Amino acid sequence: MDELQAQSEREARILARRKRIQERLAALREGDHGGGKEGEKKEEIGKGKQQIIESKRRLMRVKYRTDQDVTSVRVTGDDRENQHRIQEEQTRQDLRSKLLAEAEQSARQNAAVAMRWADLFSIEVPQDLYNEIESQRQACERIISSKDKLIGEVRSELKKKDDEFVKTLKRQAEDIDTLLQYMSRQFVEMQNAFKEELDEIENAFLQERSDLLEANRREMQELFDRRSKLEQDFMDRYLAAVETYQQQLEGHRQMDAEEYHILKIKLETDIQNLEQHLEAMRATYQLNTEKLEYNYRVLKEREKENSTTIESQKKKLSRQRDILSSLKQRYAETDRRYRDENLRLTDEYKRITEQFKDLQSKFRHFELVDTKKYKEVWGMKESEVAALVRQLLQADKVLHEQQLGWEWRPPDDAVFTPVHAAGAGGGAGAGAGGEGSAAGADGEEDEDAAARAREQELAERVRDSRSWGALGLLCDEAGFLIDIKARHMIERLPKDEQGLVKAEAILRALGISDGASFDSLMDALSADSNIELRAKGMVAPAGGRIPDEKSERGPAVLVHPDDAVRRLKAFVEVYGTGPSRSGGGNISGPLRVQGLLRRAAEREQEFWTRMTHVISDKGSRVWRALETQLERYLALLQERAKSLREVESLQHQNNELRALLNQYLSSRINDELQIPPTQII
């Protein structure tokens, strides 16, 4: 009870002391506000801060004055450079005017000289011609002297420029020295000014510190005196209250003695009961204490684990936040870059698409023209080769029948089968294609509508559940036909969409573009299909075959998975290169183009093979043996002819000798001889 009273009195004294301090501070503030505004402002700012402001002003004045000195050097240099540039421009204009005047004058003089050259050809007197030539030479020397004079002026101007450049370098060096002097003087003045102002500021702060210490000391002394007085008054009141309380306490002690006695007996009984209860509760408390200690240790362990988990989660959260911020930044940059790239690629795609369409139309035109020329040249050469082969066969017939006496068997008429048997149709198709390209702009809408109808038909066939077995077989065995990028995109799709998208990708790779080609593919994947025999040429394809009900609802029995790839290869060979089927069911794309080119090359190779092998190997060997024997026979005949020519020559010589001898014998000179030759012979 005494403690509660002492605590309440202590709080009352603290509150009273706080109230007195607040009143004193309010009185001091009212006294300060009574002064003038300037004094109040200075008191609020303080001597140190006021000195700092004045020092800054003085330093700014010193800096401005020294900056003016340093800047004056640059201003003088700029003015001098400006005057120099004005003078240079005037000199350049004068020189340019001189150059123009000299060029004009020399042009007139050159024109006069050039005009007089033509007159020299009409002068026939040598002396006059010499005088005219001399006058022309003098005119040329005058032109050259005027140009040399101008060159001398330009050279003197260049020399003057060099001298002026040297002077300018000297002036610049002097300006730099002057600028360095001004800068050094500015540095010294600023350094001294800063030192002086720092001393002034330090003195002001020291003076302000001493004033504040003195004011605080006086205030503390007043507070201590007031505290002593208040403590004395409190002690007097405290002693009076203690005496009064003691008297009241004595009266209460006498009154409560009997009550205490009775209460003591009651309390002792209660104490005994409570001690018994205390023992019971102590045992309970001991048990609870052990439980709580165990729980406390468990909770401590959990707290450690939780704190460790929280720390790790906080670190992880901070890392994730950093990663999130970096990812957001990267996403923003990537999104912006890809947007720009998308716009650029869109424009590029549109431009390239237009160029591709134009190039495609040109390609069709030139393809038709080149094909037509190629077929014309091929037809001409084919006819020439056929004529040569027929001559060769005629020669073979003559050799067999006349030289060898054998029976000659002519080759099959299929040897002369033209390669482009459908050339007329192809030419007509080419012509029709040319006319169609001219009118292609009018039929684009019909072609687009037909293409959309074919795509719709193919989509319906693919979504038909009766074809899912064959499509599943394609997905399992022909997955290598899918592009790598498309394969990665398909893997990101849900499971229920991957199969359909994968089947459509494989169909696009095979060139399936409509329902008819899809039905042909389903027929090729059936167990009883003859597609492999057709690919080998053993079975002729049935042109314009209408798919039966089995192909419409998918193959009843699928081919074995091990044979699926072989069936697909046979399908591509048959339908990728075969003729057009009814109903517009052609397989489009690069497979058909490559197949057509390959078949055309094979037919041409077969044609040249037939032409080169129109004479069999046995016939060639017979020809070589016959050639050898005929060459021998020819050599024998040539030798016989040579011998005959020699015999004829000898006979001719004998005839000449006989005639000469007869002439000698019948000559009249023989009658005059003593012994004529006729008697000797």
Side-chain angles (χ1 to χ4, degrees), residues 195-206:
K195 287 181 180 179
E196 294 174 359
E197 294 303 324
L198 285 174
D199 295 337
E200 293 292 334
I201 291 170
E202 185 177 3
N203 295 329
F205 274 110
L206 291 174

Side-chain angles (χ1 to χ4, degrees), residues 87-101 150 153:
Q87 186 176 0
E88 285 292 328
E89 182 64 22
Q90 185 66 30
T91 304
R92 189 177 66 82
Q93 292 293 336
D94 295 341
L95 184 61
R96 185 171 179 272
S97 61
K98 288 181 180 180
L99 288 172
L100 292 175
L150 183 60
E153 293 179 358

Side-chain angles (χ1 to χ4, degrees), residues 12-13 114 174 354 609 638 662:
R13 289 196 303 271
E174 294 174 357
E354 295 296 330
T609 303
Q638 288 177 353
N662 292 328

Side-chain angles (χ1 to χ4, degrees), residues 551-587:
S551 62
E552 287 290 339
R553 63 172 182 269
V557 180
L558 293 174
V559 70
H560 193 273
D562 295 339
D563 300 332
V565 176
R566 191 164 61 251
R567 289 289 183 90
L568 290 176
K569 184 178 179 182
F571 170 77
V572 171
E573 292 180 358
V574 172
Y575 291 100
T577 61
S580 300
R581 294 172 294 180
S582 61
N586 296 333
I587 294 179

Side-chain angles (χ1 to χ4, degrees), residues 502-545:
K502 191 174 181 180
E504 291 178 353
I506 294 173
L507 292 176
R508 283 196 300 271
L510 291 173
I512 306 300
S513 60
D514 54 9
S517 56
F518 181 80
D519 295 336
S520 301
L521 178 61
M522 295 297 104
D523 182 58
L525 292 176
S526 62
D528 56 350
S529 177
N530 59 352
I531 191 71
E532 296 183 12
L533 298 177
R534 293 167 61 185
K536 295 177 181 178
M538 299 176 66
V539 178
R545 186 177 65 87

